[in-house]
Each structure stands twice: as C-alpha cells, then as structure tokens.
Amino acid sequence: MYLNSFCFGYRSNFKLVNPFFLSYYLRSPHLRQIIFPLAQGISRFNISKKSILQLPIKLPKLQEQKDIYRILQDLENLLSLQHQKLAKYQSVKKSLLQQMFI
C-alpha cells in the first residue's frame, strides 16, 4: 500500500503472515541489513517503492511464525521482569550506601 513519497505500508494476507510475528520481523536486524543498502539521502533516508517491492523476503510457515512470536514475547516479558528486579536492587543498594555514610 503506497501512502505518499515518504511513507508506504504493507497490507498482508493473514492466512500467510502472523501480524505479531511481522511486528518483530520488521524491526529485526536481519531485515534492516536487507533494507539499509536501499536507503538514499543524507538527513532523511528515502527508499523507493520499486526497490522495496523487489526485495526477496522469505517468511517461515504460519505455525512457525506463531511459535517464534510466542518465544520472542516470552523473552521480552522475562527481560522486562529482570529490568524491574535490577531497578529494585539498585534502589536498595543506593539506600544502603546512603545509610552507611550517615
């Protein structure tokens, strides 16, 4: 789906593509490596619609996409929990250090 000279989108067939998997895939380093060489410009990168449409993008089967998405979502949730724990431990450490020097 072509929106304008600076923005276009994809309309996918949900029988072939899991939209949640696609959200991860479109932000992946792998896809960025494929798209980056197509970018032109200095302050704002432009990519031609024709170049994007010619990209050979391979996707796993639908069930594999769902499985990959679930794994990535679980990892993201686990990382979030670990970041929360780390923030709490850092807060406790800061508090204990302050109490040491009072």
Side-chain angles (χ1 to χ4, degrees):
M1 176 168 58
Y2 189 74
L3 303 175
N4 60 39
S5 62
F6 294 107
C7 186
F8 54 90
Y10 283 100
R11 186 174 299 168
S12 65
N13 179 345
F14 292 124
K15 293 178 183 175
L16 301 174
V17 179
N18 178 298
F20 301 110
F21 169 81
L22 193 60
S23 70
Y24 280 102
Y25 185 66
L26 291 174
R27 292 179 281 141
S28 72
H30 170 74
L31 191 62
R32 288 174 188 254
Q33 286 177 343
I34 293 172
I35 292 177
F36 189 73
L38 304 175
Q40 300 172 348
I42 295 171
S43 62
R44 183 190 315 198
F45 292 123
N46 294 306
I47 302 172
S48 75
K49 174 187 171 189
K50 184 178 177 181
S51 297
I52 289 288
L53 292 175
Q54 292 176 350
L55 284 177
I57 296 177
K58 297 179 183 178
L59 295 173
K61 293 180 182 178
L62 188 58
Q63 186 57 48
E64 291 175 358
Q65 292 176 35
K66 291 176 183 177
D67 294 341
I68 292 168
Y69 165 72
R70 272 191 230 107
I71 291 168
L72 292 173
Q73 188 66 37
D74 289 346
L75 285 171
E76 201 169 279
N77 291 338
L78 182 62
L79 282 171
S80 178
L81 289 173
Q82 295 302 318
H83 283 292
Q84 290 173 10
K85 275 186 182 180
L86 179 60
K88 286 180 186 177
Y89 287 137
Q90 288 173 334
S91 177
V92 169
K93 176 184 172 182
K94 182 179 177 182
S95 174
L96 291 172
L97 285 171
Q98 286 176 345
Q99 290 176 19
M100 277 177 50
F101 297 108
I102 291 180

